[in-house]
Amino acid sequence: MDIPWWRDAVVYEIYVRSFADASGDGVGDLAGVRQRLPYLSRLGVDAIWLTPFYPSPMADGGYDVADYRGVDPLFGTLDDFEALVAEAHSHGIRVLVDIVPNHSSSMHPWFRAALAGQGRDRYVFRDRPNNWQSTFGGPAWTQVADGQWYLHLFAPEQPDFNWRNREVHEEFLDVLRFWLERGVDGFRIDVAMGLYKADGLPDVGDQSFKALSPVWGQPEVHEVYREWRKLLDTFPGERMAVGEVWTDSAADLALYVRPDELHQSFNFAWLQAPWSATAFRKVIDDTLGAVPFATWVLSNHDVVRHRTRYDTADPGTGLARAKAALLVMLALPGSAYLYQGEELGLPEVKDLPPEARQDPIFFQSEGKLAGRDGCRVPIPWSGDAAPYGFSPDGVAPWLPQPRTFKELSVTAQTGDSDSTLEFYRGALARRRELVRSIPYELTWLEAPEGALFFARGPLTCVINCGTDPVRLPPHDQVLLSSAALTGDVLPPDTAAWLRTTE
Ligand code: GLC
């Protein structure tokens, strides 16, 4: 069997608002992404995933879509999109776009019509709300002028579609076709385990985002992905789909990646695991035991950057651990999803002033939760002061960048062999050389407590999550390490790739 491109792909998430601002309005855009394609090509990624760039009132950073077939003027035009796809392809980089099928914007023409009393069945309107809470805080229901209530599992500006209405299916099939015809290589499906809600909308106890419950993970949702898969398969070029699926177990996750459904699902268990060899091993075993094609992800635009998540011990440990975790992730079978800025070692920006914050989570929780702005601060490309090449000089980016970004910019790190950026470039290049020549299967090797050793053919990957140095297993050569090694010793918070003779 030919190996599909996405099986081992390294996919780079571009949060478009925060990547590169070519138009000079302080917000990233498609032309900015296009200008930075040489950077991405040199970094060595196989594909990019673009977060929503569709017309949107931006109540949730574009995850409130008002028109599924267009480009918001903030981000450019459809011509800019087509030029970006063509140029990405000329660099050998595939393009995934984000599809948001659980809800639209409250400014979507269907919802405007629903408010006027037409086509309410495309959304979830009821005479009385149940006890469901919004994922962003507060009730999941908002009352409209005539007394009915509509369901929104996220912000009030994001009304949930009613997937029990066939018209919604037809609309999304057409939207997928629209982007497939414009050359996209696949889709990232937002809130993929949402869509259907249990019949009768019963009150619930546990409302957490990932729990299998009347709110999430209804069995009917799989029929949607079967239909989508059939459509994807009618296009040439191995078009694919990856689902944003928050589940409690690898077995639930596996339901979404059956052979006639989605190609991949994000493996959030990896991102949620604490810094622990036992925890990492369990996630790896559970994942590989459950899904035919694994994925790994450490950061995205919704979670605290992993450098900061891992910074639980001495200052500096977070970055060392982040680099070590990357080496493990890139050695595991399957594909790796990176989030813009992690290759620069960006930390979460924790001290954004309240007046700068934009995430609806901050507002819906009345400031009790910081929200996700801290991982969305615009990328530092160059220069000594904000906007660090993100926008033209003199333009303030939509979120303020901290002074610490100066040392972390792309130009500050390029050519410095000790930098995080050069480490990522080296690791991605090595992975590209190796990945198709080693077996998919992984074999565990005996390792001291606190450490993990595993092999895929001639590649052995080792990580030390403990507090004492450990001895490396027998090997011919050290291919890469996340920190300097002395002799045959692997220090704490370090990982390495070794070549061994089988
Ligand atoms: C997904 C997105 C997140 C968004 C939410 C609602 O979880 O990743 O950014 O807020 O869906 O669309």
Side-chain angles (χ1 to χ4, degrees), residues 60 63 103 136 154 188 190-191 244 301-302 372 376:
D60 183 21
Y63 282 94
H103 46 264
F136 290 165
F154 295 89
R188 178 264 185 187
D190 191 63
V191 196
E244 185 205 16
H301 66 284
D302 291 327
R372 302 160 294 176
R376 299 175 174 179

Side-chain angles (χ1 to χ4, degrees), residues 170-423:
E170 298 303 335
E171 174 67 2
F172 272 92
L173 286 167
D174 197 62
V175 166
L176 296 182
R177 225 175 274 120
F178 180 88
W179 294 106
L180 288 165
E181 282 164 1
R182 274 154 193 81
V184 306
D185 299 284
F187 300 99
R188 178 264 185 187
I189 301 163
D190 191 63
V191 196
M193 74 298 176
L195 280 59
Y196 278 87
K197 286 81 190 171
D199 250 342
L201 307 179
D203 283 349
V204 289
D206 178 4
Q207 309 235 356
S208 66
F209 196 22
K210 60 192 178 128
L212 257 182
S213 76
V215 191
W216 310 111
Q218 295 302 297
E220 296 92 328
V221 77
H222 298 287
E223 203 41 58
V224 175
Y225 302 131
R226 288 193 192 102
E227 264 192 313
W228 289 14
R229 180 62 176 261
K230 280 196 196 114
L231 175 69
L232 288 168
D233 287 347
T234 63
F235 282 79
E238 300 178 315
R239 314 292 175 105
M240 57 82 72
V242 53
E244 185 205 16
V245 181
W246 293 88
T247 60
D248 294 321
S249 73
D252 290 340
L253 193 70
L255 296 176
Y256 292 81
V257 290
R258 287 178 282 194
D260 59 346
E261 295 196 36
L262 303 179
H263 301 73
Q264 295 179 332
S265 272
F266 291 118
N267 184 5
F268 294 120
W270 176 244
L271 166 163
Q272 289 169 319
W275 182 257
S276 140
T278 318
F280 285 161
R281 173 147 182 179
K282 180 168 174 11
V283 174
I284 295 168
D285 281 337
D286 288 354
T287 305
L288 297 178
V291 299
F293 300 110
T295 68
W296 310 97
V297 59
L298 288 166
S299 277
N300 66 30
H301 66 284
D302 291 327
V303 299
V304 172
R305 284 187 177 275
H306 62 279
R307 171 183 178 165
T308 303
R309 286 203 318 268
Y310 290 149
D311 226 346
T312 48
D314 305 332
T317 327
L319 182 58
R321 290 178 174 182
K323 290 164 79 174
L326 177 85
L327 274 196
V328 174
M329 165 159 125
L330 293 181
L332 288 170
S335 83
Y337 281 79
L338 309 181
Y339 176 49
Q340 68 181 35
E342 68 170 80
E343 78 278 21
L344 304 176
L346 295 189
E348 183 82 1
V349 180
K350 288 182 166 169
D351 55 357
L352 287 168
E355 63 278 9
R357 296 216 174 249
Q358 307 223 1
D359 186 355
I361 291 183
F362 178 74
F363 300 104
Q364 281 183 227
S365 71
E366 289 161 355
K368 286 191 208 66
L369 300 174
R372 302 160 294 176
D373 293 317
C375 66
R376 299 175 174 179
V377 174
I379 296 295
W381 292 95
S382 57
D384 291 339
Y388 299 107
F390 167 75
S391 291
D393 276 349
V395 174
W398 70 277
L399 280 175
Q401 299 155 303
R403 275 187 228 286
T404 49
F405 272 21
K406 179 179 159 191
E407 287 77 37
L408 298 173
S409 77
V410 172
T411 45
Q413 296 195 44
T414 294
D416 172 358
S417 56
D418 289 336
S419 71
T420 310
L421 177 57
E422 294 298 353
F423 167 73

